Amino acid sequence: MSSQPGPPAKPPRSALKLRDMFGALAVLALVVLVAGGLSRSCTFAPTGPTVDSSRLPVVDVPAELTRLAVDSTFPLRVPAVPDGWRANAVDRTSLPEGGRVVSAGFLTPEGRYLRLQQGDASEEAMLRAEAGGAAAQAQGPVDVDGQQWVAYAGQRGEPIWITDVDGVRVLVTGSGSEADFRVLAAAAVRGEVIAPRR
């Protein structure tokens, strides 16, 4: 009965040639170059994720809100955001607990994302929808130019500010700084009002 041949023997160190060492160094250099290229595409942001605004669509918020006001059940406010802020989305959704919400998404020049919501749903329904069904934790009141907002902590750790303006619930959330929140909150309250057209 013949025996199975064993694995090939490792050549002695003295048998390795200079070209073998250069081959190994070439492979190692390739790995270092690939890893270095990947690390340049990643950045560390201690304050949260940022968005590359140059790759996202730009939306005309006044035009979209005017279009949605045609069959809205509540007036919509057009926030006058600062130069450099870009709107990338406007949509309308119906909440499971009743009521409609119109959302507009904005990107700051630093790449932070904020969302403004306006709706006729209850405060609790809007908070639950924003917090993914979980209960948002109240953090306390916030005064923005005399308008009282209530701050909550959302499920993802992002702040949620909510208030009532002339019977319409207005909510601000996102990854922006407190200064960004204040800018958008004030812009929403002062914004041009588009009355329902139905």
Side-chain angles (χ1 to χ4, degrees):
M1 183 165 75
S2 64
S3 63
Q4 294 283 344
K10 182 177 176 184
R13 204 177 272 268
S14 60
L16 294 176
K17 303 217 182 321
L18 192 56
R19 86 173 167 192
D20 296 324
M21 288 194 303
F22 280 127
L25 285 174
V27 170
L28 181 61
L30 181 62
V31 169
V32 168
L33 287 173
V34 169
L38 289 176
S39 68
R40 287 184 186 168
S41 66
C42 302
T43 58
F44 174 70
T47 56
T50 59
V51 179
D52 182 0
S53 61
S54 65
R55 298 184 180 194
L56 296 173
V58 177
V59 175
D60 183 344
V61 171
E64 288 298 304
L65 292 180
T66 300
R67 180 182 63 81
L68 292 174
V70 171
D71 62 350
S72 178
T73 57
F74 52 91
L76 297 172
R77 292 177 179 269
V78 181
V81 296
D83 290 339
W85 284 43
R86 293 178 43 167
N88 69 337
V90 173
D91 63 20
R92 178 171 52 205
T93 56
S94 296
L95 300 186
E97 298 177 40
R100 285 179 161 185
V101 172
V102 173
S103 300
F106 298 91
L107 292 170
T108 69
E110 296 76 31
R112 300 293 180 200
Y113 179 73
L114 289 107
R115 185 167 56 257
L116 170 68
Q117 296 185 346
Q118 306 175 65
D120 59 1
S122 69
E123 180 174 324
E124 294 77 14
M126 288 179 70
L127 284 170
R128 267 193 292 276
E130 185 54 43
Q137 299 296 315
Q139 304 293 302
V142 178
D143 183 285
V144 181
D145 295 344
Q147 178 73 32
Q148 293 298 312
W149 296 72
V150 180
Y152 291 86
Q155 185 182 28
R156 297 179 300 273
E158 293 179 346
I160 302 171
W161 292 7
I162 194 165
T163 191
D164 280 11
V165 182
D166 298 329
V168 177
R169 251 68 58 216
V170 181
L171 181 150
V172 175
T173 189
S175 63
S177 65
E178 181 175 344
D180 294 331
F181 269 62
R182 288 183 173 276
V183 166
L184 185 53
V189 172
R190 292 193 309 259
E192 175 192 354
V193 178
I194 305 174
R197 309 251 173 107
R198 31 188 317 190

